[in-house]
Amino acid sequence: MINVELRGLDELKTKLKKLPSVVANATANGQETAIEQAEAYAVDELQSSIKYSTGELARSFKHEVKIDNDEVIGRWWNSSMVAVFREFGTGLVGEMSDKQLPQGVAITYRQTPWFFPVDSVDLDLTKIYGIPKIKINGKYFYRTAGQPARQFMTPAANRIEKEAPEIIKKSVDQELRDKLGD
């Protein structure tokens, strides 16, 4: 007759019960880290491509990570109304400019030029971008056919898409060691 003694079975059962929540929380933490890195890439792109800025776009990033049953869901967006116009362009100029659209997204662009009051912006857009001014009934307006897409979030998302699996893996590995031991 062979006698077998199992040691640590209770400890193993305790660790196995903790495993799903440890993995979910670690995955969420890794997702949070990946989103924060994507935001840093987007801010770097903005800062390298904007000469005249209030910093509104860089300050307007938002994100959330939540655990919903067995899924970890992360969202990242920019709450500034200007962000979508910068990302995908406006008018005919935006429509014709190079850009990458998310899968399943179609954008309709205005096909005619439009006017907006000169005093609605703090900068001289004629001096900076060459946008013409027109005087109508004693008031000055800028005339535009749009602006090109100057993507900052899409390149950041594409870059982090490649890096996120490793970031999340490291987070899970670390949490498993910290919470469950070797």
Side-chain angles (χ1 to χ4, degrees), residues 28 31-32 35 63-67 71-77:
Q31 179 78 335
E32 180 102 15
I35 289 172
H63 71 270
E64 69 179 7
V65 177
K66 63 182 180 180
I67 300 171
E71 288 186 317
V72 175
I73 301 164
R75 293 184 339 130
W76 173 55
W77 69 97

Side-chain angles (χ1 to χ4, degrees), residues 98-171:
D98 288 334
K99 67 195 142 303
Q100 181 182 354
L101 295 176
Q103 188 173 351
V105 170
I107 298 176
T108 302
Y109 291 89
R110 181 177 177 144
Q111 300 297 302
T112 57
W114 63 95
F115 301 89
F116 59 97
V118 168
D119 60 8
S120 69
V121 293
D122 296 332
L123 302 169
D124 184 345
L125 300 181
T126 302
K127 185 185 262 185
I128 297 170
Y129 300 115
I131 297 176
K133 289 180 192 172
I134 297 172
K135 190 174 184 180
I136 302 173
N137 293 333
K139 188 169 182 176
Y140 284 96
F141 294 85
Y142 289 114
R143 180 187 181 277
T144 184
Q147 66 177 12
R150 292 170 292 175
Q151 294 190 301
F152 61 103
M153 291 186 71
T154 300
N158 290 341
R159 186 170 172 186
I160 204 63
E161 180 180 28
K162 296 175 182 120
E163 297 173 13
E166 185 61 28
I167 292 170
I168 293 168
K169 178 187 178 302
K170 285 180 181 177
S171 177

Side-chain angles (χ1 to χ4, degrees), residues 3-179:
N3 289 331
V4 177
E5 182 181 344
L6 295 176
R7 293 184 192 157
L9 188 56
D10 290 337
E11 183 183 356
L12 176 60
K13 287 179 181 178
T14 301
K15 286 182 178 183
L16 288 174
K17 284 181 185 177
K18 290 181 182 177
L19 184 61
S21 67
V22 169
V23 170
N25 288 332
T27 302
N29 290 340
Q31 179 78 335
E32 180 102 15
T33 300
I35 289 172
E36 289 169 353
Q37 184 60 57
E39 183 175 318
Y41 292 149
V43 168
D44 286 347
E45 177 62 32
L46 281 170
Q47 290 175 341
S48 70
S49 65
I50 296 178
K51 289 182 182 179
Y52 306 96
S53 171
T54 63
E56 175 198 4
L57 284 175
R59 288 190 308 273
S60 297
F61 286 108
K62 307 280 186 242
H63 71 270
E64 69 179 7
V65 177
K66 63 182 180 180
I67 300 171
D68 186 9
N69 294 321
D70 61 346
E71 288 186 317
V72 175
I73 301 164
R75 293 184 339 130
W76 173 55
W77 69 97
N78 193 298
S79 61
S80 170
M81 290 298 294
V82 175
V84 71
F85 301 127
R86 181 176 175 84
E87 187 74 17
F88 300 116
T90 59
L92 287 171
V93 175
E95 183 175 32
M96 305 251 184
S97 66
D98 288 334
K99 67 195 142 303
Q100 181 182 354
L101 295 176
Q103 188 173 351
V105 170
I107 298 176
T108 302
Y109 291 89
R110 181 177 177 144
Q111 300 297 302
T112 57
W114 63 95
F115 301 89
F116 59 97
V118 168
D119 60 8
S120 69
V121 293
D122 296 332
L123 302 169
D124 184 345
L125 300 181
T126 302
K127 185 185 262 185
I128 297 170
Y129 300 115
I131 297 176
K133 289 180 192 172
I134 297 172
K135 190 174 184 180
I136 302 173
N137 293 333
K139 188 169 182 176
Y140 284 96
F141 294 85
Y142 289 114
R143 180 187 181 277
T144 184
Q147 66 177 12
R150 292 170 292 175
Q151 294 190 301
F152 61 103
M153 291 186 71
T154 300
N158 290 341
R159 186 170 172 186
I160 204 63
E161 180 180 28
K162 296 175 182 120
E163 297 173 13
E166 185 61 28
I167 292 170
I168 293 168
K169 178 187 178 302
K170 285 180 181 177
S171 177
V172 170
D173 288 348
Q174 187 64 50
E175 284 291 307
L176 288 173
R177 278 193 298 282
D178 293 349
K179 299 283 180 4

